[in-house]
Structures are given as C-alpha cells and as structure tokens.
C-alpha cells in the first residue's frame, strides 16, 4: 500500500499536497484533545495546597512548565529524529499523554499537578515532528498554514467537547438510549482524548506515506536535514542578534496567546457568554479561516526575502490589532465577543508565522542547511517559559485583577514591545541580499522537474 501511495504522490502533486495538509491538520488537531480539554473545567473553590494560587492556575502552570521543558528537549532531539522514527515517536508521545490524563483522574487532588506536568512533558515535541513532514517544499506555506489552523480550531472544539462531556448529552436525540456523560470533571480530559485517539493514528500513518521533498524543492527552499550539535551552535552564533529580537517578541506573543487560550472560558463568563457552549468553537473557527487565508497568500511570493518581509508585516499588523481592539472595547465601540475574536485574531497572526512559515522562509533566505524545526523549538522553549512567568505574575503579583483585566493590560504591553522587537529583528535578516543571489544561481529550469511537487 505504501508503494502505491508513493507512486500516486509522485504522479500527482495535488494528491500529495491534499494528503499532507489533511493528515497534518488531523494529527495536530487530535493532539490538542490530549493537551487542552482540562481547561474546559473550572475547578471552582479549589486552591493549590491552601495558597492564593487557584488549582486551575496550578494546572495551567504545571502543564506549560512540562511543555516548556519538552520544547527545550525538542531543541536537541527534534532536529535529530530520522524519518523512520518519526511516526513511532508521535504515537508513543500521544499514548504517554493519555496515560497521564488517566493518572490526573485518579490521583489525590494536590498530586494532580504532577500528572498534568507529565502531560505537558509528553506533548511538547509533537509539533516539530509533524512540521518535519511539511517543511522545505514549494507548497510549505499552504501546508504549514493549514497545520497552524489546526491548533486554533481544535483548542475551542476540544474545550466544547469537554464541556459537553461534563454536562452529558445524547448524540442521537432524546429518544436514543445512547448518551455520553455526564463525565466527572477530573475524568473529562482522559475521556476527550479517547474520542480522538483513532483519528490521530490514521493521520500519522498517512503522514508517514508522504515522500521527501524533491530536488527542485531543495533548490528553491534549501536543503533540509538533521542537525548535529555543531550545526545548531553555528546557526545560533551566526544569526544571534536577529534571532534574539524575534524570539523575545515571540515570548510575548506566546504568553498572551496562551493566557487567552487557557482562560477563554473565564473571560467569556466575565463578559456574559457563559451559557453558550458553541461560542468558543465559532470564534476560533472564524479566526482559523482568516489566518489560513492570510498565511496561504505568502505562497504566491516566490522571492524568499520578499516573502520574509510579507510575513513580518503580517506579524506587525497582528500585534497592533491586539492593542487597538482592546482600546476599542474599552471605549465602547465593540462588544466583548468581537473583542475576544479580534485579540485572538491579532495574537494568532503574530504567533502562527513563528510556528510555520517565518522560519521556513528564513532558512530558505539565508540558505542555511538544516531544519526550520530547530529555530521553531528555540522560540517555543523560551516562549513557554515566558508563559509560565506570566501565569505566576498574574496570580502572585496582581492577583486582585480579574482574568479580563489582566488580559486587557497584557494586550497593550504585547502590542507596544512586540512591534519594536519584530521590526528590529526583521531588519537584521532583511539586510542579507547575498542569499537571494545564491538561491537563484542554484535553481534549475522548471521544466526539469515538471509535474513534481
């Protein structure tokens, strides 16, 4: 079967791209069913060992902490994972995550933070392993844009599924004898993961059938290969200044995006939308389609430096949108729903390019040999560390603020500093014209690879 699929993909680039984007979308969508459903619970009245830290906040912090550590491990291991081991590792990580959610359900209340920490530790490398299948191709912008939409859409949907399981519902109507739930709040994350496990397995199998990038792909987007520790150190040393500014900006974007994502339920309740189960899903779906459309447009920019400029412009626009939307809500020009949608859209326009097309084009523009996954994981590791700091700052320093007030104040900080850092880091990389000339010299005539992806 694998040989037949390979032949099909070789003959039809359209079939290859459709399969790649669909399988990647489903795989990462399903991963979120193991990571985010716990956030659908409120765990009201529970605190962490009797402190001022809410138990849900402890869950959020511990999972992010585990996720951040996994990202640091991913800086080393993801660039080194060979093709034959990717699928096995993906499945092993998800199985481990489901086991930690079962542990979360059965251990005593104050030990549940350890289970959720292990859950985050299991899942941090999944993104990089999926990106490995998609980067370095002529259609990478479209493939990675679709992949990025998966975590925008899935975060809302898996929370809604979790809330439905807690409430209990009858899928086939009141006359049916088959019903789901009500599931206890602490069992809900494991139950949600079980719903999405089989689709995840199918998606990973399909991902593993995708052939490697063609010769033309490698010439247009640079060679992608595993990176040794010497390769990684050389890359960081060469681009240290530009990377530092871009990564600090990403720390801010990650902290904002993660806080909004983890406390969407609470903020919507403060805004008066607590009764609508589908509110989160509808909001995130609108955001996802808009981000997908914007990111896919970068595909039509063939020059790598111009594409870098376009991507950085998207990031700046998204960053400004976060602050501007908050100002509009506070002045009464938009309501709470449209504000949450607007700051979500802005934060994802700033956040998503880092996880997908920005570093892919950076590798192509600089002609650096390696994998964009390495740069992505440097940013992610530091980004989630910043997210932990923000969570602790919210509870321990400004604990008297509501989640809504804190999110509003954070939006102004992210909007102001984010623009300065992105403009500074982008200027560094855009002053590298030599890479474009090298790329043009290496490109073979399109006819030589006609009909191939």
């Amino acid at each position: 079967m694998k040989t037949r699929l390979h032949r099909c993909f070789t003959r039809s680039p359209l079939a290859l791209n459709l399969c790649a984007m669909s399988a990647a979308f489903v795989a990462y969508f399903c991963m979120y069913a193991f990571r985010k459903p716990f956030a659908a619970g409120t765990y009201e009245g529970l605190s962490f060992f009797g402190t001022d830290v809410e138990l849900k906040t402890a869950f959020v912090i511990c999972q992010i902490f585990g996720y951040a550590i996994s990202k640091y491990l991913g800086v080393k291991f993801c660039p080194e994972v060979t093709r034959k081991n990717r699928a096995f590792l993906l499945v092993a990580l998800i199985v481990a995550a489901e086991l930690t959610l079962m542990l979360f359900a059965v251990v005593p209340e104050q030990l549940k933070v350890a289970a959720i920490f292990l859950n985050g530790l299991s899942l941090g490398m999944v993104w990089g392993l999926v990106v490995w299948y998609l980067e370095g191709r002529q259609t990478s912008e479209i493939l990675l844009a679709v992949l990025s939409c998966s975590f925008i859409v899935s975060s809302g949907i898996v929370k809604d599924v979790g809330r439905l399981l807690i409430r209990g519902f009858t899928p086939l109507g009141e006359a049916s004898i088959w019903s789901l739930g009500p599931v206890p709040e602490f069992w809900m994350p494991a139950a949600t993961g079980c719903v999405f496990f089989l689709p995840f397995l199918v998606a990973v199998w399909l991902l593993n059938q995708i052939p490697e990038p063609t010769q033309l792909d490698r010439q247009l987007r640079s060679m992608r290969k595993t990176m040794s520790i010497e390769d990684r150190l050389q890359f960081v040393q060469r681009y240290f200044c530009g990377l530092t500014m871009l990564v600090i900006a990403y720390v801010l974007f990650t902290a904002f995006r993660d806080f909004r994502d983890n406390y969407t339920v609470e903020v919507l309740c403060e805004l008066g939308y607590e009764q609508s189960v589908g509110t989160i899903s509808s909001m995130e779906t609108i955001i996802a389609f808009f981000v997908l459309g914007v990111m896919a447009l970068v595909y039509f920019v063939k020059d790598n430096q111009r594409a870098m400029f376009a991507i950085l412009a998207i990031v700046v626009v998204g960053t400004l949108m976060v602050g501007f939307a908050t100002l509009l809500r506070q002045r009464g020009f938009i309501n709470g729903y449209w504000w949450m949608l607007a700051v979500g859209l802005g934060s994802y326009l700033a956040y998503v390019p880092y996880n997908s097309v920005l570093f892919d084009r950076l590798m192509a523009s600089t002609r650096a040999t390696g994998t964009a996954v390495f740069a992505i994981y440097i940013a992610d590791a530091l980004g989630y560390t910043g997210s932990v700091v923000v969570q602790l700052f919210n509870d321990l320093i400004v604990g008297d603020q509501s989640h809504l007030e804190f999110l509003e104040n954070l939006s102004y900080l992210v909007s102001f500093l984010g623009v300065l850092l992105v403009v500074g880091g982008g200027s560094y990389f855009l002053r590298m014209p030599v890479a474009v000339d090298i790329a043009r010299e290496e490109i073979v005539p399109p006819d030589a690879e006609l009909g191939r992806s």
Side-chain angles (χ1 to χ4, degrees), residues 29 41 48 54 58 68 92 105 113 121 138 151 164 166 177 206 251 271 276 306 361 375 383 387 399 418 424 443:
F29 183 105
F48 181 57
E54 297 177 0
V113 292
L121 193 64
Q138 297 172 68
F151 63 74
L164 282 172
I166 290 173
I177 61 172
L206 285 171
V251 170
L271 293 169
S276 180
R306 290 179 181 175
R361 284 289 193 161
S387 187
I443 296 173

Side-chain angles (χ1 to χ4, degrees), residues 130-152:
V130 175
V131 169
W132 249 119
Y133 289 103
L134 308 181
E135 69 164 304
R137 302 174 189 271
Q138 297 172 68
T139 55
S140 285
E141 279 81 14
I142 297 174
L143 301 179
L144 292 170
V146 172
L147 173 61
S148 298
C149 286
S150 66
F151 63 74
I152 304 174

Side-chain angles (χ1 to χ4, degrees), residues 110-124:
Q110 300 300 338
L111 293 180
K112 293 183 187 299
V113 292
I116 210 70
F117 165 79
L118 294 174
N119 175 263
L121 193 64
S122 304
L123 296 172

Side-chain angles (χ1 to χ4, degrees), residues 48 74 103 250 265 281 317 390 438:
F48 181 57
L103 190 65
Y250 182 71
V265 174
S281 297
V317 169
V390 167
I438 294 173

Side-chain angles (χ1 to χ4, degrees), residues 315-343:
V315 174
V316 169
V317 169
T319 307
L320 291 173
M321 186 183 296
V322 170
F324 187 62
T326 302
L327 181 64
L328 288 179
R329 195 196 80 81
Q330 291 180 335
R331 296 293 176 89
F333 290 104
I334 59 175
N335 63 26
Y337 175 85
W338 288 106
W339 172 69
M340 277 293 281
L341 191 151
V343 296

